[in-house]
């Protein structure tokens, strides 16, 4: 994909832009959205005022050098926090710039032969593309078939085939036609194309905070308010105990008490989560979608193309008793002449005939629908249908004809063998069965086992009869299945799971998947799918990989883990700062507090400076972790919690003790 050019975490151009933005973000109106860092900015401004006050002759606040050092450290803390957010945003903007290169003014040839600019194309206009042309706008192929190079969007060098009819008719502006000719109907207004939306998303211009992020921001704001009250009340207590505490010491204690580490990294974690999804070639419409993916309980997957390789092929014709095989083959071919699906085409291939030899007068083709679950052809006084077993059976029974027992046995045998039976009828009399076979994807069982370890229930969605569905589900290792699924069946299943408090994810590509994609908590639409599917989902998979949802789930869990672990670390490392600053404030007046100076720091001044320095430098050290994310392993929630509490909780307590002591040894050399 074009956006994958940014391989390294810190590219020179990206870092330079982020450094500039770190200063721009010092604007109080911008920083106000982050209550923790906003209060740090207020503290920095107060320290600047104290420094000026000392220069004007004030003697009670300590030396100018000491206070100016605190001011600089607080200012650097702000810059590091802003840089963390800016570097995440700059990486997204760099990807947006590379995407813009694929969106150039492209000429479009209309049906009447007139040439106009791609920017002048409006929704529902029709243009023609032939070999070598760049597709001018997002659209649906309404006529023709072509090989298309989508590497500018997906990064996949292998060309793909797009054709009118079915769920592979969608094309994206900026891709190139390599062969043949197609007629495309525009599906997006100027400025609202898929590429335009991608650019806006990766730039993060309209990034909304997710519910979890908002909740954590409120929690951090609460901590900040509590410690604000602590600092306000500390001064009267100090005066009562005849302890002289400078403004610089109070501000230093305050900044070290509040959770500045997670406050400075919070936005960067959320932006980086969307960035990781993009690097997996998944466009997300919000950070909320990525987070929700990390919490899902149920995953709905289409059988065809996801669990199985897809493009089921006809492998055999089974004629009913007393029916010649040639008669069944002829009816099957006639019913498939207008069938653009891979199954329909494979029927003609299996018959080894020339469709031109099967032309009839005044044909009326009957398209497949999810309701009738059959298709066919009417001509003269002949009606031919092929479709699902129960659909054709009901058709025959309603017309007063029986459903032959040997055909029912044949249907059962095909289904038990993992195949899909299509029954063919002529004038409501059964002619026989077409056997379709599909192949389960290699390695899919291991993927489902991995999801099971995450605590996610997998559900296979298929239009197959229950017997075939059960065979495939058992062989693939899914937990449940929906057979003979209609659009409303998928929606009802999702609603039922949601009613029990579960979060549901689904992947789809067809227009009939759109209602379920919209209902699901996480809806991933294929880039090759229909425009309706892409509009309904809250994610789009550029690779058209139906198993990508598994990767999205892991990215979501990684985002949640990263935020949780860094919050744990941030709160835990405050402990060491208490042992550094509290004794430093009161040790001269209350010698008994010497016992709390377990780090044996050099002096009160060096203790305060060491704590503030550590508080500042820990943010840039954690930026790579915030951007890359904490490594996720499917070992269960309780095991993950124990692991992260041990590493980041215990580590958050131990590391600051070591860090502050080392900094104190260095600082004491200059004091």
């Amino acid at each position: 994909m074009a956006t994958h050019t940014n391989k390294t975490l810190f590219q020179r151009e990206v870092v330079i832009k982020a450094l500039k933005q770190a200063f721009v973000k010092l604007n109080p109106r911008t920083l106000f959205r982050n209550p923790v860092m906003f209060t740090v900015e207020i503290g920095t401004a107060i320290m600047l005022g104290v420094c000026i006050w000392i220069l004007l002759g004030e003697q009670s606040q300590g030396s100018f050098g000491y206070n100016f050092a605190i001011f600089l450290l607080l200012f650097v803390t702000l810059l590091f926090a802003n840089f963390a957010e800016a570097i995440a945003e700059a990486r997204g903007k760099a990807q947006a710039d590379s995407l813009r290169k694929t969106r150039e003014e492209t000429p479009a040839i209309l049906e009447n032969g007139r040439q106009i600019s791609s920017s002048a194309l409006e929704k529902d206009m029709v243009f023609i593309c032939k070999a070598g042309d760049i597709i001018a706008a997002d659209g649906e192929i309404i006529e023709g078939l072509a090989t298309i190079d989508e590497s500018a969007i997906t990064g996949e060098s292998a060309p793909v085939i797009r054709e009118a009819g079915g769920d592979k008719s969608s094309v994206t502006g900026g891709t190139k036609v390599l062969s043949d000719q197609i007629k495309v109907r525009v599906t997006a207004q100027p400025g609202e194309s898929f590429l335009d939306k991608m650019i806006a998303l990766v730039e993060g211009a309209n990034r909304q905070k997710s519910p979890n992020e908002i909740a954590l921001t409120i929690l951090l704001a609460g901590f900040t308010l509590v410690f604000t009250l602590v600092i306000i009340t500390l001064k009267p207590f100090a005066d009562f105990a005849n302890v002289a505490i400078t403004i610089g010491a109070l501000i230093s204690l305050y900044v070290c008490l509040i959770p500045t580490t997670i406050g400075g990294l919070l936005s960067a974690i959320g932006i980086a989560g969307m960035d990781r999804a993009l690097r997996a070639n998944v466009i997300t419409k919000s950070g909320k979608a990525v987070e929700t993916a990390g919490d899902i309980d149920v995953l709905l997957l289409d059988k065809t193309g996801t669990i199985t390789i897809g493009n089921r092929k006809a492998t055999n014709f089974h004629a009913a008793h007393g029916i010649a095989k040639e008669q069944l083959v002829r009816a099957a071919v006639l019913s498939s002449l207008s069938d653009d699906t891979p199954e329909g085409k494979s029927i003609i291939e299996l018959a080894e005939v020339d469709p031109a030899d099967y032309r009839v007068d005044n044909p009326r083709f009957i398209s497949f629908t999810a309701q009738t679950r059959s298709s066919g052809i009417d001509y003269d006084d002949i009606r031919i249908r092929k479709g699902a077993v129960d659909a054709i059976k009901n058709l025959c029974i309603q017309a007063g004809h029986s459903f032959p027992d040997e055909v029912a046995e044949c249907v059962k045998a095909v289904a038990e063998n993992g195949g899909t039976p299509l029954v063919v009828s002529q004038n409501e009399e059964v002619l026989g069965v077409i056997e379709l076979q599909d192949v389960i994807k290699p390695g899919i069982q291991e993927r489902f086992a991995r999801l099971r370890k995450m605590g996610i229930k997998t559900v296979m969605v298929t239009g197959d009869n229950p017997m075939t569905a059960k065979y495939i589900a058992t062989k693939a290792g899914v937990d449940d299945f929906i057979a003979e699924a209609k659009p409303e069946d998928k929606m009802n299943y999702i609603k039922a799971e949601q009613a029990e408090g579960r979060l549901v994810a689904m992947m789809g590509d067809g227009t009939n998947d759109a209602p379920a994609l919209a209902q699901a908590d996480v809806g991933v639409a294929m880039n090759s799918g229909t425009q309706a599917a892409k509009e309904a989902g809250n994610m789009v998979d550029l690779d058209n990989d139906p198993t990508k949802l598994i990767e999205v789930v892991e990215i979501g869990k990684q985002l949640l883990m990263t935020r949780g672990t860094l919050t744990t670390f941030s709160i835990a490392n405050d402990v060491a700062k208490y042992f550094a600053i509290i004794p430093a404030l009161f040790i001269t007046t209350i010698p008994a507090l010497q016992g709390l100076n377990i780090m044996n720091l050099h002096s009160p001044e060096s203790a305060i400076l060491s704590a503030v320095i550590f508080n500042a430098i820990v943010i840039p050290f954690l930026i790579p972790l915030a951007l890359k994310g904490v490594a996720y392993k499917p070992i269960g929630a309780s095991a993950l919690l124990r692991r992260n509490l041990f590493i980041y909780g215990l580590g958050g307590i131990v590391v600051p003790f070591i860090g502050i002591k080392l900094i104190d040894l260095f600082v004491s050399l200059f004091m």
Side-chain angles (χ1 to χ4, degrees), residues 187-254:
T187 55
Q189 296 286 5
E192 297 179 2
S193 70
F194 182 60
L195 198 56
D196 289 315
K197 291 176 182 177
M198 284 172 63
I199 291 169
L201 286 166
V202 298
E203 282 184 321
N206 300 314
R207 192 184 85 86
Q208 300 295 317
K209 287 186 177 181
S210 65
N212 281 342
E213 195 174 348
I214 292 171
L216 185 55
T217 301
I218 293 171
L219 176 65
L220 296 180
F223 273 129
T224 304
L225 179 61
V226 168
F227 289 123
T228 301
L229 296 175
V230 168
I231 296 301
I232 291 172
T233 55
L234 187 62
K235 179 61 176 170
F237 279 112
D239 291 342
F240 179 78
N242 293 319
V243 177
I245 302 179
T246 64
I247 294 174
L250 283 174
I251 296 294
S252 298
L253 175 61
Y254 178 62

Side-chain angles (χ1 to χ4, degrees), residues 444-560:
I444 197 71
Q445 288 178 317
E446 289 75 13
R447 283 178 174 265
F448 288 143
R450 186 178 177 88
L451 285 169
R452 203 168 288 111
K453 284 183 180 179
M454 296 180 195
I456 297 172
K457 174 184 175 183
T458 51
V459 181
M460 181 183 77
V461 181
T462 177
D464 292 336
N465 62 70
M467 196 174 294
T468 302
K470 185 177 181 181
Y471 176 90
I472 298 291
T474 303
K475 197 171 178 182
V478 296
D479 300 311
D480 197 4
F481 64 89
I482 308 173
E484 298 177 343
K486 297 187 284 293
E488 57 267 28
D489 295 331
K490 302 174 192 177
M491 270 198 69
N492 291 337
Y493 191 97
I494 292 171
K495 286 179 179 178
E497 292 289 344
Q498 290 172 332
E500 295 182 13
R502 300 186 184 97
L503 295 177
V504 184
M506 180 186 167
M507 178 167 270
D509 59 0
T511 301
N512 65 333
D513 291 326
L517 286 169
Q519 179 66 37
D521 299 287
V522 177
V524 184
M526 300 288 197
N527 187 35
S528 63
T530 61
Q531 192 69 23
K534 287 192 276 190
E535 290 292 337
N538 48 24
M539 295 187 186
V540 178
D541 175 24
L542 300 178
D543 289 335
N544 304 308
D545 177 5
T547 60
K548 183 66 68 64
L549 199 47
I550 297 170
E551 194 171 346
V552 172
V553 169
E554 292 185 344
I555 290 170
K557 288 187 177 294
Q558 187 182 40
L559 171 60
L560 292 170

Side-chain angles (χ1 to χ4, degrees), residues 600-654:
N600 195 26
L601 301 179
H602 179 263
S603 67
E605 290 79 10
S606 71
I608 291 172
L609 282 177
S610 298
V612 177
I613 290 171
F614 180 84
N615 193 64
I617 65 174
V618 74
I619 294 176
F621 274 111
L622 291 175
I623 287 176
L625 184 61
L627 296 182
K628 291 176 67 177
V630 175
Y632 171 75
K633 294 180 181 178
I635 56 176
S638 57
L640 277 174
L641 180 62
R642 288 194 299 271
R643 170 176 170 264
N644 291 330
L645 282 177
F646 178 76
I647 296 174
Y648 295 96
L650 184 60
I653 294 174
V654 173

